[in-house]
Amino acid sequence: MHREKWGTKLGFMLAAMGSAVGLGNIWRFSFVAGNNGGGAFLLLYLLFVLIIGIPLLLTEVSIGRKAESDVVGSFQKLAKGTPWYLTGFFGIISAFLILSFYAVVAGWAIFYFWNYINGSFFTQPAVGYEGAFGQFISHTWHPIAWTALFMILTIIIVLSGVKKGIEAANKIFMPLLALILIALAIFSLSLDGASEGVKFLFQPNWSALSEPSIYIAALGQAFFSLSLGMGAMLTYGSYLRKENKLPSAALGIGLMDTFFAVISGLVIFPAVFAFGIDPSSGPPLVFITLPSIFEQMPFGGIVGLVFFFALILASLSSSVSILEVPTAYFMRVFGWTRFSTSVLMGSIMFVMGIAVSLGFGIWSGITPIGERNILDSMDYIASNILLPLGGLSMALLVGWYFKKSEALESADLSSSSIGGFWYFIVKWMAPVLIVLIFLNKIGIIF
Ligand code: PHE
Ligand code: NA
C-alpha cells in the first residue's frame, strides 16, 4: 500500500513540534509539578528530558524512518520472527487512553475560548472562576459536547492526511503561543507575591527526592511532553525521507518543548501564589489560575481569547499525532481506508472520553487506581507506565538487537563525535534508569 511522505524536512519538524507542544506543557506540566512539590520535580524532569528523553526521541524517530511502518509493523520489520512487536501494542493502548482524556481537557479549553468570545469570563462570575469551572466540568453532558467538537476536529485533520492541515496552522500559531506565554510570564512575575511562586518552582525541596513517586511522575511527564514511547514520533518518522538528518531535529524538538513547559511554569506558579490558589489542585489548576491572570491584565479579555485559540491549535496538532498511531496500524493491518479508520478510532476514543468527563461529575466516586478518578487513572497507566515501557522497548531494540554500526547509521550518527555517547545512553543508561525508577516505585530497591 502507498504510504505518504512529508513534503519537506520543515514539514516534519513542524508536525513533530506540533505533536510535542500541547496541553502537556501547560496543563499537565503545571498540575504534575504542583502535585510533586515544584522545584525538585522540575529538576528531575529537566534531567530526564536531557539524559533519557532527547536521546530516545532520536531513537524513536530513527526506528520509524528505517522501518517505514507503524508502531507495531516497525518492530515486526526490524526484529523479524521475534515477539518484539507485541510491545508496539503498548503504544496503541496508550493512544486510546491518552486521547480520550486529552480530548476532554481540550474540550475544556474550547469552552474557555467560547467564554472569552462572548465576554462572560472578562470578569469573575459570582461563584468565582474556580466555582464556575467546577460547575462546568461536573455537568453531565455540557463538557461532553465540547469533547465531541474537539474529537471531530481531530478526526477531520487526520482523515485528510498527514501532510495537509497541520503544517500551515502550526507555522503561525506556535510562535504566537510562545509570544503570549512570554508576555503572560512577565505579567505574572510582576504580581504581588509572585516571588513565592518562583521559589516554589526553582528552589528544590530536597526532601521531596526521598518520595519514589516523584521519579515516576517526572519520567512520565518527560515522556508525555515529548510525545515519546507511544509511537507517535515513530509514525511521523516513518513518513520521512531517508535524506533528512535526525539528530538536530530531535534536539530542536526537545529544547522547544522544554522551553514551553518552563515558561508555562513561570506563568502559572507566580499567579498561583499571588492569588492564593492551591498548587496541588490537580487537573483544574491552570483552568482556575489563567482566568484570574487575564482578569487582572490590561486587555486581558483579548489576550485570553487569543491564548485559548492558540492552545486549542497546539492541542489539535498533538491530538492528531495520537490518533495517527492506531489509524496507521489499523489501516495497514485491515486494509481499511484512512477515512473509516480515523472515524472509527476517534469514535471509540470519544466514548471513552465520556467516561473521563463523567468522572468529574456523577462518576466522581469511581476511583480505579487508589484515590485517582477516571482521568488520573488512565493518565497514570498510560503516561507513567506504558510510555516508559514503550520507550524502553525501543531503546533495547536499537541498543541490543541492532549492531552498533546499524544503530549509529539509523540515527545519522555514524561519523559524529556524539555517536558513542548517544549509543551508551540508548544501550545502558536509559534502560537502566527506567528499570530503576520502576523498581524503586514498586518498593523493591532503595
Ligand atoms: N506531547 C503532547 C503534549 O505535550 C501530548 C502527546 C503525548 C502527544 C503522547 C503524542 C503522544 O501535549
Ligand atoms: Na509537550
Side-chain angles (χ1 to χ4, degrees):
M1 188 170 48
H2 177 72
R3 300 182 91 247
E4 287 176 84
K5 291 284 175 194
W6 302 108
T8 58
K9 181 179 173 189
L10 181 66
F12 162 76
M13 281 296 282
L14 287 169
M17 283 182 180
S19 169
V21 176
L23 291 169
N25 305 62
I26 297 169
W27 163 75
R28 196 177 189 284
F29 173 79
S30 304
F31 89 76
V32 177
N35 278 345
N36 288 279
F41 169 86
L42 177 65
L43 206 72
L44 283 179
Y45 161 72
L46 293 176
L47 189 74
F48 291 163
V49 166
L50 218 60
I51 65 173
I52 302 178
I54 294 177
L56 290 195
L57 187 58
L58 175 56
T59 308
E60 179 169 341
V61 179
S62 334
I63 293 175
R65 186 185 59 173
K66 187 175 165 79
E68 292 182 285
S69 187
D70 52 84
V71 63
V72 176
S74 291
F75 287 112
Q76 273 167 334
K77 248 185 180 168
L78 299 178
K80 277 202 192 68
T82 74
W84 218 302
Y85 70 95
L86 292 172
T87 64
F89 291 105
F90 293 157
I92 308 271
I93 298 167
S94 317
F96 280 97
L97 291 172
I98 291 182
L99 193 47
S100 44
F101 70 77
Y102 206 86
V104 170
V105 179
W108 299 347
I110 307 183
F111 171 71
Y112 270 46
F113 175 58
W114 172 242
N115 279 313
Y116 281 97
I117 291 185
N118 68 26
S120 46
F121 270 11
F122 284 12
T123 50
Q124 185 133 194
V127 286
Y129 290 117
E130 189 166 356
F133 181 67
Q135 276 172 11
F136 165 65
I137 57 171
S138 57
H139 193 274
T140 301
W141 57 266
H142 195 176
I144 293 176
W146 297 102
T147 306
L149 176 59
F150 182 79
M151 200 52 111
I152 290 169
L153 294 173
T154 302
I155 292 172
I156 290 175
I157 301 176
V158 171
L159 62 78
S160 54
V162 288
K163 269 194 295 198
K164 284 168 278 169
I166 329 168
E167 300 184 24
N170 272 345
K171 232 184 260 183
I172 307 167
F173 283 95
M174 291 250 293
L176 185 66
L177 187 64
L179 285 179
I180 304 176
L181 281 172
I182 293 170
L184 285 177
I186 294 171
F187 179 76
S188 192
L189 287 166
S190 75
L191 293 166
D192 273 343
S195 60
E196 275 307 302
V198 177
K199 269 193 218 144
F200 180 79
L201 194 59
F202 292 112
Q203 242 176 41
N205 167 8
W206 300 112
S207 66
L209 294 179
S210 61
E211 183 56 55
S213 55
I214 191 178
Y215 298 89
I216 216 146
L219 185 71
Q221 178 59 24
F223 271 81
F224 186 96
S225 195
L226 293 169
S227 305
L228 194 61
M230 176 196 282
M233 291 296 189
L234 182 154
T235 306
Y236 274 8
S238 75
Y239 304 132
L240 263 174
R241 290 165 208 281
K242 295 278 183 226
E243 60 273 17
N244 294 308
K245 293 283 170 275
L246 300 183
S248 57
L251 185 65
I253 297 162
L255 293 180
M256 163 81 90
D257 185 65
T258 309
F259 166 81
F260 271 93
V262 174
I263 291 286
S264 306
L266 281 173
V267 174
I268 300 300
F269 290 106
V272 157
F273 285 86
F275 300 134
I277 296 166
D278 177 6
S280 55
S281 303
L285 182 68
V286 297
F287 289 93
I288 42 200
T289 310
L290 285 168
S292 309
I293 303 179
F294 295 130
E295 187 181 352
Q296 303 275 313
M297 208 178 179
F299 307 105
I302 307 289
V303 181
L305 191 148
V306 181
F307 173 85
F308 280 105
F309 188 68
L311 182 61
I312 293 162
L313 290 178
S315 309
L316 272 173
S317 56
S318 301
S319 62
V320 297
S321 74
I322 303 175
L323 182 53
E324 184 66 21
V325 171
T327 300
Y329 169 72
F330 284 99
M331 276 172 70
R332 175 179 63 82
V333 170
F334 295 108
W336 298 338
T337 61
R338 175 169 278 280
F339 186 94
S340 38
T341 315
S342 53
V343 171
L344 180 65
M345 299 302 134
S347 308
I348 297 172
M349 290 160 174
F350 170 66
V351 172
M352 292 167 64
I354 294 178
V356 172
S357 186
L358 294 178
F360 290 91
I362 54 171
W363 285 359
S364 60
I366 302 181
T367 51
I369 303 182
E371 311 261 86
R372 295 179 179 84
N373 67 9
I374 299 178
L375 185 154
D376 289 330
S377 299
M378 287 168 55
D379 181 26
Y380 191 86
I381 295 174
S383 313
N384 292 3
I385 300 174
L386 294 177
L387 295 186
L389 285 180
L392 178 63
S393 168
M394 294 173 196
L396 295 177
L397 179 81
V398 173
W400 293 88
Y401 190 83
F402 285 13
K403 288 196 285 291
K404 183 173 182 184
S405 56
E406 206 185 345
L408 291 173
E409 196 199 314
S410 74
D412 301 326
L413 285 173
S414 301
S415 53
S416 160
S417 51
I418 58 164
F421 183 56
W422 169 80
Y423 187 68
F424 169 75
I425 290 185
V426 172
K427 188 173 179 121
W428 292 106
M429 189 142 90
V432 167
L433 276 175
I434 293 171
V435 169
L436 285 181
I437 292 168
F438 276 135
L439 292 180
N440 182 34
K441 170 66 191 163
I442 306 170
I444 295 187
I445 49 160
F446 305 137

